[in-house]
């Protein structure tokens, strides 16, 4: 959800290798963007003040056409450009980034999605996949570092710190000595497994048998070293990496309610499922990142939009093209192969080698003609469970006028009731105040805030409502109240709603409308032990998919990895190996 950690490739590649935001739904105020590109569907930008052309620059064809400029699509397109492929990324909206885009209103620069990052400046084989992509593109991402966030739990409020010792102090105070003992037992059991979970560089993975060269053979010595280091018992424990993390928790006999609740919360923030549904490998990597000496969290100095800017720079640096306001109406199939796309304005864009969809699995289906896919494939997509959607609250306010403390933390997590479960609607609220670390995101002396319920808002409550109706407005008011109360709790008694200079509420219909997301969903709710995320190929030759509907799953690092895997798969093994050599992997 808010976590941006590197997915553990070594633990999961064997399970798939051989498998074939938000903007406000009010009328949008003036929004400034540095990414307005050519438009194939309109002569004026939807922000009302930036002119656009009627067709994108260059030829209406490319080696690879990428549908969608989310993190996955941009990583795929930018790496393909780095591989000297002719790439065209088509984006329906006038801002790139998908669920990770930023937007500006009245001098306030808002994040629409991810807000808590780790490993963005890491380098080397165990680096965050997004960091490896940026490294390959020669792009840097300045970040502010910090190591704590505020939590508001039924047991009390406290400043939670990452690191090997500080969290023990919190446990002792709020949960008792038994919780400390169980936490020590958990760390002692799982941290030795982290070397196996982190042994393969994410950028080495590809979706064909070439992976045996670029990953398995290339890194066999490090894999072997990892298993030797773990010893027989650790190597046996590594077999649990592909199982639900709850199985490890239960096998250790962990009973303390706080420990089990805290683990569920971390799992849900990381993958949208609780500990009974998350891969052990993902949790173990997160523990290794957060509970090792000297660990820190990171926030991009210019907001999450800086991630998108860096990827676009990389794409264009190597000759790739990005066309905004270029809405793909459907994927064109000829002789059973994907040969291009048709835009809403009727323009055909040919793809000489491949079409890559960065849309969700459900939305990709809508782009294909009836009968293009086997019934079994269509049924599999339509029966894949979905995460619920979001409620968002974006605020801009004067810190002094609102009596905001100078030592305000950047992140706040509110859990109202453990008994309801962290995945219950209206129960967990996440708050980010990035201007605490990046003052340039707001006018001088002011703050920008983003609060949201993390993928727990039922779409069924909103389905079919007219966004202009009184019923819709009333429901927005009711369902946003939990976020307002959480913000008031985090900012203190001096904060007054009515004094906010910017106040925007987003709903599941906002997600559905602006992000082109089926039912406004956060993504597939695929639980470990019950299913696996699909691979990147499809039954249609020359049509591939990346993003959160494919392996490795949901989250910024995961979608970055998916985009990289597709890009790697579309070039030769020798070119892939040359890139790994060039960036020292």
């Amino acid at each position: 959800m808010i976590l941006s950690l590197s997915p553990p490739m070594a633990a999961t590649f064997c399970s798939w290798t051989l498998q074939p935001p938000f903007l406000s739904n009010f009328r949008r105020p003036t929004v400034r963007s540095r990414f307005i590109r050519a438009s194939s569907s309109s002569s004026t930008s939807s922000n009302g003040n930036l002119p656009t052309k009627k067709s994108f620059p260059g030829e209406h064809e490319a080696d690879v056409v990428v549908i969608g400029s989310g993190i996955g699509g941009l990583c795929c397109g930018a790496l393909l450009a780095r591989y000297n492929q002719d790439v065209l990324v088509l984006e329906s909206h006038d801002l790139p980034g998908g669920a990770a885009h930023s937007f500006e209103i009245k001098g306030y620069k808002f994040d629409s999605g991810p807000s808590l990052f780790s490993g963005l400046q890491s380098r080397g084989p165990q680096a965050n996949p997004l960091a490896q992509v940026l490294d390959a593109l020669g792009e840097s991402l300045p970040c502010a570092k910090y190591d704590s966030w505020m939590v508001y739990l039924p047991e009390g409020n406290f400043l939670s710190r990452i690191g090997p010792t500080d969290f023990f102090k919190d446990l002792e105070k709020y949960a008792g000595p038994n919780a400390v003992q169980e936490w020590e037992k958990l760390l002692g059991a799982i941290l030795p497994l982290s070397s196996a979970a982190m042994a393969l560089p994410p950028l080495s993975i590809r979706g064909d048998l070439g992976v045996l060269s670029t990953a398995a053979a290339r890194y066999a010595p490090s894999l072997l070293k990892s298993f030797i280091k773990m010893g027989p018992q650790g190597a046996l424990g590594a077999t649990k990496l592909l199982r639900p993390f709850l199985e490890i928790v239960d096998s250790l006999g962990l009973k303390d309610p706080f420990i089990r609740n805290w683990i569920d919360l971390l799992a849900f923030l990381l993958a949208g499922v609780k500990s009974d549904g998350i891969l052990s490998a993902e949790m173990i990597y997160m523990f290794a990142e957060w509970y090792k000496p000297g660990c820190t969290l990171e926030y991009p100095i210019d907001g999450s939009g800086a991630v998108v800017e860096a990827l676009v720079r990389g794409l264009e640096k190597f000759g790739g093209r990005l066309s905004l306001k270029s809405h793909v109406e459907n994927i064109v199939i000829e002789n059973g192969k994907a040969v291009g796309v048709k835009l809403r304005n009727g323009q055909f864009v040919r793809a000489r080698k491949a079409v890559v969809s960065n849309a969700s699995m459900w939305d990709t289906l809508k782009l294909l003609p009836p009968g293009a896919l086997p019934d079994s494939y269509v049924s599999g997509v339509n029966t894949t469970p979905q995460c619920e959607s979001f409620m968002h609250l974006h605020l801009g306010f004067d810190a002094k006028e609102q009596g905001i403390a100078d030592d305000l933390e950047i992140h706040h997590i509110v859990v109202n009731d453990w008994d309801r479960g962290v995945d219950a609607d209206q129960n967990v609220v996440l708050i980010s105040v990035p201007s605490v670390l990046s003052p340039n995101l707001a006018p001088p002396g002011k703050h920008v805030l983003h609060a949201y319920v993390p993928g727990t808002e039922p779409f069924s409550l909103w389905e079919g409502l007219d966004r202009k109706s009184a019923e819709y407005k009333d429901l927005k008011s009711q369902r946003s109240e939990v976020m307002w109360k959480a913000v008031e709790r985090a900012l203190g008694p001096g904060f007054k709603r009515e004094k906010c200079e910017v106040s925007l509420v987003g709903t599941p219909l906002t997600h559905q409308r602006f992000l082109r997301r089926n039912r406004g969903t956060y993504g597939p709710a695929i639980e470990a032990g019950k299913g696996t995320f699909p691979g990147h190929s499809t039954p249609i030759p020359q049509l591939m998919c990346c993003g959160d509907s494919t392996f490795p799953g949901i989250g910024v690092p995961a979608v970055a990895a998916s985009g990289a895997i597709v890009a790697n798969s579309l070039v030769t093994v020798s070119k892939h190996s040359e890139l790994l050599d060039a960036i020292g992997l």
Side-chain angles (χ1 to χ4, degrees):
M1 294 296 174
I2 61 169
L3 306 187
S4 177
L5 301 171
S6 175
M9 294 297 172
T12 51
F13 89 100
C14 58
S15 70
W16 62 271
T17 300
L18 301 181
Q19 295 185 65
F22 169 84
L23 295 177
S24 168
N25 54 348
F26 294 127
R27 181 177 296 278
R28 191 165 59 168
T30 298
V31 180
R32 294 207 305 270
S33 169
R34 62 190 298 180
F35 287 120
I36 295 302
R37 296 285 187 269
S39 166
S40 60
S41 60
S42 175
S43 61
T44 58
S45 168
S46 64
N47 61 32
N49 70 333
L50 291 172
T52 55
K53 300 177 183 178
K54 290 186 177 180
S55 61
F56 49 78
E59 298 180 349
H60 288 173
E61 64 176 337
D63 291 335
V64 181
V65 173
V66 180
I67 304 171
S69 68
I71 297 294
L74 287 175
C75 284
C76 179
L79 278 178
L80 283 169
R82 173 70 169 78
Y83 282 127
N84 201 32
Q85 302 295 298
D86 180 15
V87 184
L88 174 60
V89 179
L90 300 173
E91 170 56 50
S92 179
H93 296 298
D94 59 2
L95 293 168
H101 77 270
S102 295
F103 61 99
E104 181 176 346
I105 297 175
K106 295 182 179 180
Y108 292 96
K109 301 174 184 177
F110 292 100
D111 292 342
S112 66
S115 55
L116 195 155
F117 298 87
S118 174
L120 290 179
Q121 295 183 309
S122 57
R123 292 295 182 267
Q126 297 180 356
N128 185 307
L130 177 57
Q132 291 190 352
V133 171
L134 292 173
D135 194 22
L137 300 174
E139 292 293 332
S140 59
L141 194 63
C143 294
K145 296 186 177 182
Y146 62 104
D147 64 358
S148 62
W149 70 92
M150 278 297 300
V151 292
Y152 306 82
L153 307 177
E155 291 85 353
N157 310 335
F158 61 92
L159 184 67
S160 177
R161 296 185 183 275
I162 63 173
T165 59
D166 288 304
F167 189 60
F168 285 115
K169 300 174 183 177
D170 299 330
L171 283 177
E172 179 74 33
K173 182 176 180 180
Y174 293 98
N178 184 64
V180 173
Q181 293 175 6
E182 289 198 358
W183 192 254
E184 289 178 330
K185 185 176 183 180
L186 177 65
L187 294 183
I190 65 175
L191 290 184
L193 302 179
S194 63
S195 57
M198 301 161 65
L200 286 181
L203 208 60
S204 70
I205 308 299
R206 52 190 292 127
D208 56 24
L209 290 176
V211 73
L212 298 177
S213 173
T214 61
R218 187 182 185 98
Y219 301 100
S222 63
L223 282 168
L224 180 61
K225 183 178 179 180
S226 296
F227 281 101
I228 292 175
K229 183 179 179 181
M230 288 188 295
Q233 185 174 357
L236 181 62
T239 61
K240 300 178 181 179
L241 291 175
L242 299 179
R243 299 294 302 165
F245 189 66
L246 183 62
E247 292 184 5
I248 291 181
V249 173
D250 287 339
S251 70
L252 295 173
L254 306 185
K255 304 292 185 183
D256 187 87
F258 184 92
I259 294 297
R260 295 180 74 94
N261 285 330
W262 187 257
I263 290 171
D264 269 346
L265 177 63
L266 293 178
F268 190 72
L269 297 178
L270 183 60
V273 292
K274 296 193 293 186
S275 59
D276 59 352
I278 192 172
L279 282 174
S280 294
E282 292 183 72
M283 287 292 282
I284 289 170
Y285 184 90
M286 184 272 293
F287 273 88
E289 281 287 285
W290 281 20
Y291 298 103
K292 64 182 180 183
C295 56
T296 62
L297 299 171
E298 298 167 332
Y299 183 79
I301 293 296
D302 293 316
S304 64
V307 176
V308 178
E309 292 180 16
L311 290 172
V312 173
R313 286 196 306 269
L315 169 74
E316 296 181 337
K317 176 195 304 182
F318 292 100
R321 291 176 288 162
L322 167 66
S323 181
L324 302 178
K325 297 191 70 181
S326 298
H327 182 79
V328 173
E329 195 72 26
N330 58 268
I331 298 169
V332 178
I333 307 297
E334 292 180 0
N335 300 319
K337 297 181 179 180
V339 297
V341 301
K342 187 179 78 171
L343 303 183
R344 177 173 286 172
N345 69 347
Q347 175 68 51
F348 172 65
V349 182
R350 179 169 295 280
R352 292 184 288 265
K353 295 183 179 180
V355 174
V356 178
S357 177
N358 186 212
S360 77
M361 61 171 68
W362 304 282
D363 295 292
T364 299
L365 276 187
K366 298 175 184 177
L367 299 177
L368 292 165
L373 289 166
D375 290 343
S376 58
Y377 187 92
V378 174
S379 176
V381 170
N382 287 331
T383 57
T384 298
Q386 292 183 346
C387 294
E388 293 288 4
S389 191
F390 287 78
M391 289 291 296
H392 290 270
L393 179 64
H394 284 95
L395 303 176
F397 54 89
D398 188 297
K400 185 176 181 180
E401 182 183 26
Q402 295 274 33
I404 306 302
D406 292 336
D407 60 351
L408 180 69
E409 292 291 320
I410 178 176
H411 292 299
H412 307 256
I413 299 178
V414 178
V415 179
N416 292 313
D417 186 352
W418 287 125
D419 291 337
R420 292 192 62 218
V422 295
D423 54 351
D425 67 302
Q426 302 270 290
N427 193 32
V428 176
V429 178
L430 308 177
I431 301 169
S432 174
V433 194
S435 48
V436 167
L437 295 179
S438 298
N440 59 314
L441 298 179
K446 301 182 180 183
H447 279 309
V448 59
L449 180 148
H450 177 204
Y452 55 103
V453 295
T456 58
E457 181 66 9
F459 184 81
S460 59
L461 295 177
W462 303 85
E463 193 167 13
L465 290 181
D466 182 346
R467 292 182 296 104
K468 297 180 181 179
S469 67
E471 182 183 5
Y472 177 73
K473 294 177 182 178
D474 289 343
L475 190 60
K476 280 179 66 175
S477 178
Q478 295 169 21
R479 301 296 289 183
S480 63
E481 185 64 21
V482 67
M483 296 184 294
W484 280 110
K485 289 182 176 178
V487 169
E488 290 167 346
R489 189 173 176 183
L491 299 187
F495 174 78
K496 303 299 179 186
R497 305 181 187 187
E498 61 274 12
K499 291 185 178 181
C500 290
E501 298 177 5
V502 176
S503 176
L504 304 172
V505 175
T507 73
L509 296 187
T510 313
H511 260 259
Q512 182 185 49
R513 179 186 179 205
F514 281 104
L515 299 183
R516 313 290 190 194
R517 298 286 290 189
N518 180 266
R519 298 177 63 81
T521 181
Y522 181 52
I526 298 175
E527 297 185 3
K530 298 180 181 179
T532 58
F533 276 85
H536 307 90
S537 62
T538 72
I540 300 175
Q542 297 178 190
L543 175 61
M544 302 188 75
C545 297
C546 66
D548 58 21
S549 287
T550 64
F551 174 85
I554 291 174
V556 170
V559 298
S562 76
I565 291 169
V566 172
N568 296 338
S569 304
L570 288 172
V571 300
T572 64
V573 170
S574 60
K575 283 190 174 182
H576 187 183
S577 297
E578 287 172 6
L579 178 63
L580 295 175
D581 291 337
I583 60 175
L585 295 179

